[in-house]
Amino acid sequence: MPVDLSAADALALRMTSLLLRPHPSTRPGTVAEVVEWFGAMQAQDLASGLWSLGARLPGRSVADVQVALERREALRTWPMRGTVHLVPSADARWMLELTGVRSLAGVATRRAQLGLTEADADRAVDVLGAALAGGGRLTRAQCLATLRAAGLGTEGQRGYHLLWYASVRGVTCVAPNVGTEQTFALLDEWAPTSHRLERDEALALLAHRYVRGHGPVTDREFAGWSGLTLTDARRGLAAADDALSTVRVDGTPMYVDAALADAPRTAPDDVLALPGFDEYLLGFRDRTLMLDPAHQAAVVPGNNGIFQATVVRAGRVVGVWKRKVGRTAVTVTIQPLTTLDIAARARVEQALGRYADFLGLPARFDWLTRPGGVTAPAAPGRPVVGGQR
């Protein structure tokens, strides 16, 4: 019989799955191990992706994470939902074949809107493949210039579409930045050792990784995250059955990693500073366990898919933050979404201080007036720069 969990129990398990609390069966210590744990981590915004890793690797700096990516412990590509993710380098190809190709379903319509043809797209794949062969690595600007030299238009969104198409086809991938410049390389050369999986094996592995990195979750959550059909999502979960356990949260059947079935479920009291594009929110379609619907507009202004960085307390989003990185300090602007007393604010600044340590810069804090126009006092002993106090 499935175990019945309260919402608080489910939230405690979910934070453990997300590696935001100590896990009873694993303690990932490298970028490769964290990315493999999740299977894929949303990373269309590189700075957010780096901190998603740093938040789960205490004591590591942004330079440490960048070096690990340069060592090819993980790479970025478009493995699902047409969105850039970090994935294990050796798994990129089978993930593109399993879920990435699904984003090609409406590609003809999109190409027509952009004034491109199928021949243009295939020509771009050939041109980029030839330009990058032999260990080549080109910046985004160089890739676009190469396409233009071959007679392909890159105006507007055309260039982005062609770069995306070459990666979804499994020819290129996004390599680490050179300075602030995004770069591309050949997938076969950047990740020469690729795992090859049968379809059912791939479905089972992806299902297990999603559940262990996000659970408790439903089959529909897995389908939404992966971009698979609900039928394929259920097929993968059934194939991964031995590694999973079933629980009920408020009467709804959900899956959780079997390693967590008997794990302690102490109520979370953690205070965390997470990037906007973190699996904490992006990994789910139903976010009510972590996010009050009344705060949705503050976290995703305009409901346009651009998520603000969040402050999380006891598993719930209690604020949003933005950072401005300068040469000598990082200034963090914090907007509370709930009432935070002086002690809570001090803990928020401590959590954001860990982000500043990750960057190797001192932190300065700018607290904005919380909703309702009531000004919260500054935490003692911390500088507050500008804004309303």
Side-chain angles (χ1 to χ4, degrees):
M1 287 289 293
V3 175
D4 284 301
L5 299 179
S6 66
D9 286 341
L11 185 55
L13 287 184
R14 184 169 285 182
M15 291 185 71
T16 303
S17 296
L18 288 158
L19 299 181
L20 297 173
R21 306 189 80 197
H23 196 284
S25 66
T26 188
R27 190 182 296 273
T30 66
V31 166
E33 289 168 351
V34 171
V35 176
E36 184 176 323
W37 176 262
F38 286 97
M41 300 176 71
Q42 198 151 325
Q44 69 267 50
D45 178 75
L46 180 58
S48 292
L50 295 175
W51 177 230
S52 283
L53 291 167
R56 293 164 173 89
L57 293 168
R60 303 301 175 89
S61 69
V62 65
D64 294 331
V65 173
Q66 289 168 329
V67 167
L69 294 177
E70 199 65 52
R71 286 198 302 263
R72 311 184 187 189
E73 291 189 21
L75 58 80
R76 290 198 298 159
T77 188
W78 286 264
M80 57 186 74
R81 308 190 319 274
T83 302
V84 177
H85 286 72
L86 277 162
V87 299
S89 297
D91 295 325
R93 185 164 296 285
W94 68 257
M95 292 184 70
L96 287 167
E97 293 170 354
L98 180 70
T99 58
V101 294
R102 289 186 53 77
S103 61
L104 296 174
V107 72
T109 300
R110 179 57 178 157
R111 272 202 297 260
Q113 293 171 344
L114 294 172
L116 294 169
T117 66
E118 183 176 0
D120 291 332
D122 290 339
R123 169 84 172 133
V125 172
D126 291 340
V127 168
L128 290 172
L132 293 168
R137 185 166 162 187
L138 297 177
T139 66
R140 180 191 183 99
Q142 289 170 330
C143 286
L144 295 179
T146 300
L147 292 174
R148 287 194 295 272
L152 293 163
T154 62
E155 304 83 2
Q157 290 294 306
R158 292 181 184 181
Y160 179 88
H161 180 84
L162 295 174
L163 293 175
W164 164 81
Y165 183 74
S167 287
V168 174
R169 287 282 305 275
V171 174
T172 64
C173 65
V174 183
N177 281 18
V178 172
T180 60
E181 293 264 12
Q182 187 181 60
T183 70
F184 290 82
L186 289 185
L187 179 60
D188 281 346
E189 294 182 356
W190 194 260
T193 304
S194 295
H195 297 151
R196 310 297 294 192
L197 303 180
E198 297 296 330
R199 181 173 175 78
D200 281 355
E201 186 181 8
L203 285 170
L205 182 55
L206 191 63
H208 180 222
R209 286 180 175 176
Y210 173 69
V211 172
R212 78 178 179 186
H214 299 80
V217 288
T218 66
D219 51 4
R220 293 182 182 276
E221 294 286 354
F222 175 45
W225 176 81
S226 64
L228 292 168
T229 64
L230 186 57
T231 297
D232 274 345
R234 288 171 173 167
R235 185 172 176 175
L237 290 164
D241 181 65
D242 290 345
L244 308 179
S245 292
T246 305
V247 297
R248 279 194 303 262
V249 180
D250 292 335
T252 300
M254 293 189 175
Y255 296 90
V256 69
D257 186 26
L260 283 184
D262 300 317
R265 294 188 283 275
T266 55
D269 186 39
D270 319 59
V271 175
L272 305 167
L274 299 176
F277 296 98
D278 190 83
E279 289 298 307
Y280 181 74
L281 289 180
L282 272 291
F284 307 91
R285 298 180 69 178
D286 181 357
R287 304 180 179 101
T288 53
L289 199 61
M290 303 88 73
L291 176 64
D292 188 325
H295 299 153
Q296 172 77 16
V299 175
V300 195
N303 199 30
N304 59 4
I306 306 300
F307 282 67
Q308 301 299 304
T310 56
V311 176
V312 175
R313 182 186 185 191
R316 302 280 291 176
V317 174
V318 297
V320 295
W321 60 280
K322 295 182 179 180
R323 89 287 187 269
K324 182 177 181 180
V325 180
R327 295 179 62 184
T328 59
V330 55
T331 300
V332 181
T333 303
I334 310 148
Q335 178 187 346
L337 301 177
T338 61
T339 300
L340 299 176
D341 61 21
I342 291 177
R345 285 162 60 91
R347 294 185 67 192
V348 170
E349 291 184 1
Q350 184 179 34
L352 287 163
R354 288 192 285 272
Y355 172 67
D357 291 342
F358 177 71
L359 298 183
L361 292 169
R364 306 179 75 185
F365 300 104
D366 183 355
W367 283 88
L368 299 182
T369 302
R370 68 172 183 260
V374 179
T375 300
R382 287 291 210 173
V384 180
V385 183
Q388 302 178 59
R389 298 178 56 175

